[in-house]
Amino acid sequence: MGDQTTFDLLKQALAIESNEPLYRKLEDGIKAAIGAAQIRHGAVIPSERMLCEALNISRVTVRKAIDGLVSDGFLDRRQGAKTVVSSRLEKSLATMTSFSEDMRSRGLEPGCRWISRDISRPSPAEMMALGISGSEKIVRLRRLRTADNVPIAIETATLPARFVPDPHSIQDSLYEYLEANSALPVRALQRMQAKPASEEERRLLGTPEDASLLIMERRCFLADGQIVEFTQTKYRGDVYDFVIELMR
């Protein structure tokens, strides 16, 4: 985070006219730099002194901004007075976003490695999840999801075949395909649980033997109430956090 382009981005954030305090503007600027991949995950950020001098702001302002970003999980403090961009990934449960959208918002390049994609008859569990009969065909998409080529999750998406006639026409993003075909979901119900990883899951994700997975099941609906997707995503518990905002 030492190049002039990044400092220019932070200066632009500080120059925005608003009622927000300066430290909040700096927080927003650093978040934007992370999202634009100007600051990479795991990178060491400059010292408070360097930020003060480059941005012409007080150390109190810089420290308050960094404290806020550490509290929110964007930055981590390490031994030796170093502060780095967090390598853990956070997913908000308040909004319905795709894996690709989540990764790009954090400055990471999403990707996938296909495990299988086929058309078949639904299992009893899939029939219940999608609200379909056993005579209706489904598309089942199983893939390893990556961020900057690092395995992050195993995703199994099941959809009625009428929404995806050819499963091989889907590239990296299922939601981009659904949006292009006027079938993007607008509402979802989610359930989350934790389970130990199986031997196959540990092999695919490259996790240790005692690894646990955070499992998210999602049923997605169109505006007319049709269920378009049932997806089970198994996230690596050692790199992924789920965040819920609560209000009173």
Side-chain angles (χ1 to χ4, degrees):
M1 184 188 156
D3 62 23
Q4 191 58 45
T5 302
T6 301
F7 285 127
D8 288 343
L9 187 63
L10 297 181
K11 288 177 182 178
Q12 291 173 16
L14 294 174
I16 294 174
E17 293 187 10
S18 72
N19 294 325
E20 280 196 325
L22 205 57
Y23 77 92
R24 286 288 190 191
K25 292 182 180 181
L26 180 56
E27 284 186 34
D28 291 341
I30 294 176
K31 290 177 184 178
I34 294 172
Q38 288 292 334
I39 311 176
R40 305 295 294 183
H41 288 264
V44 178
I45 70 169
S47 66
E48 292 179 3
R49 181 183 59 79
M50 289 178 64
L51 287 169
C52 293
E53 293 177 354
L55 303 175
N56 194 28
I57 55 178
S58 72
R59 179 164 289 193
V60 172
T61 297
V62 171
R63 184 168 299 168
K64 198 166 184 179
I66 291 176
D67 286 345
L69 291 167
V70 169
S71 178
D72 289 342
F74 284 89
L75 300 178
D76 290 329
R77 285 197 172 95
R78 301 282 174 84
Q79 286 185 334
K82 291 182 178 180
T83 303
V84 303
V85 181
S86 177
S87 58
R88 293 188 66 86
L89 302 171
E90 291 188 353
K91 177 175 178 60
S92 171
L93 299 183
T95 56
M96 187 173 65
T97 55
S98 69
F99 181 90
S100 297
E101 290 170 333
D102 288 339
M103 295 305 102
R104 290 190 179 113
S105 72
R106 290 158 178 78
L108 301 171
E109 183 60 32
C112 77
R113 302 172 194 168
W114 287 100
I115 300 172
S116 63
R117 40 183 163 177
D118 52 57
I119 298 177
S120 65
R121 298 293 183 186
S123 67
E126 290 168 334
M127 289 167 54
M128 291 184 62
L130 294 171
I132 59 176
S133 67
S135 63
E136 186 169 350
K137 290 185 178 181
I138 57 99
V139 167
R140 191 179 297 113
L141 310 168
R142 191 163 185 253
R143 51 194 173 159
L144 182 67
R145 305 310 308 264
T146 64
D148 283 352
N149 294 317
V150 177
I152 298 295
I154 300 169
E155 179 183 273
T156 303
T158 307
L159 305 89
R162 65 182 183 272
F163 294 114
V164 188
D166 178 13
H168 291 276
S169 62
I170 297 173
Q171 302 302 315
D172 285 348
S173 175
L174 171 60
Y175 275 29
E176 288 179 4
Y177 173 90
L178 292 176
E179 184 176 18
N181 289 274
S182 302
L184 187 68
V186 298
R187 181 174 65 89
L189 295 175
Q190 296 189 141
R191 183 178 70 172
M192 184 173 63
Q193 57 183 314
K195 285 185 178 179
S198 69
E199 182 177 348
E200 181 197 19
E201 290 161 350
R202 292 196 302 269
R203 176 179 59 80
L204 288 171
L205 294 170
T207 57
E209 290 188 5
D210 59 349
S212 293
L213 301 178
L214 297 172
I215 302 174
M216 179 69 71
E217 291 185 347
R218 175 190 285 187
R219 297 169 68 219
C220 296
F221 301 79
L222 299 179
D224 62 5
Q226 291 186 80
I227 303 174
V228 65
E229 172 200 3
F230 170 65
T231 294
Q232 183 186 73
T233 308
K234 300 180 178 181
Y235 296 92
R236 288 178 53 177
D238 60 333
V239 300
Y240 226 95
D241 291 328
F242 289 94
V243 179
I244 305 174
E245 181 179 1
L246 302 177
M247 301 183 67
R248 185 168 182 167

